[in-house]
Amino acid sequence: MDSTSALQQQFPLSPRKFWKKIIPSLVVYGFLALVLVLSLSIILIIPDAGSLSYVLLLQGMSAGLFFCGVFLYAWYIKTYIKRYYYAGEQHFITIKKGVFAPAEIHVQWQKIQDVYVDQDIIDRIMGLYDVHIASATAASGIEAHIDGVDAASAEGLKKFLLDKVSGAGSGANVQETVASQQQ
């Protein structure tokens, strides 16, 4: 499978998607690391002259582990975004995402019941949108969405999907449909 499809090139993921994924985790893990370090520091402070060096060593090790974890998580998110794939085929849409065990879903055009765009709080702050594709299957609600696109891409994807669902361009492949939308 190509790394990007014609549909993905026409309506790409936003570069802000990386920050959408990493900022909430940094806040949560940073807070947990701070609580852990402070808790252990208070527990370990005893009226011994050498206890301060143990506390500083513990804090340094915790900071090192935190930054190693942040680096690994950032690598994971970069790889996740790089492998994120979606394409509008002749009879269905394909969405593939994941790093270690990628999930791939195919939804036939005639099975799609609704296409909608939404935002959560972080999306609103970052100016991102999620495009959801709903069908009667349970997996479509969980898997069948493209998240982390800007406003223009979200509206373009929604229009493209609704046109395909309504039968517009049913004989054309996605490259022809995308090419006609560019003109």
Side-chain angles (χ1 to χ4, degrees), residues 47-180:
D48 181 16
S51 66
L52 183 59
S53 63
Y54 291 123
V55 170
L56 292 175
L57 178 65
L58 175 67
Q59 290 175 342
M61 287 175 31
S62 297
L65 286 173
F66 174 75
F67 287 113
C68 285
V70 167
F71 175 77
L72 288 173
Y73 189 65
W75 169 84
Y76 174 82
I77 295 299
K78 281 283 209 192
T79 305
Y80 177 85
I81 291 170
K82 186 190 229 182
R83 293 184 181 180
Y84 203 106
Y85 177 85
Y86 47 96
E89 310 293 333
Q90 186 171 0
H91 300 290
F92 53 85
I93 183 165
T94 298
I95 301 172
K96 182 178 181 180
K97 47 189 160 180
V99 176
F100 301 116
E104 185 170 333
I105 186 168
H106 305 278
V107 182
Q108 295 176 352
W109 297 119
Q110 66 267 22
K111 302 281 183 177
I112 296 175
Q113 296 174 341
D114 191 17
V115 176
Y116 62 96
V117 176
D118 77 346
Q119 293 178 301
D120 58 23
I121 291 175
I122 296 170
D123 287 335
R124 287 182 193 270
I125 292 169
M126 306 211 60
L128 296 173
Y129 297 84
D130 300 341
V131 179
H132 293 265
I133 302 157
S135 69
T137 65
S140 74
I142 299 167
E143 303 281 338
H145 70 281
I146 300 166
D147 60 326
V149 294
D150 60 21
S153 291
E155 285 305 313
L157 276 168
K158 180 180 172 185
K159 181 182 180 331
F160 171 81
L161 294 168
L162 289 173
D163 287 349
K164 289 295 275 186
V165 168
S166 68
S170 60
N173 65 22
V174 71
Q175 286 83 6
E176 293 170 356
T177 306
V178 170
S180 69

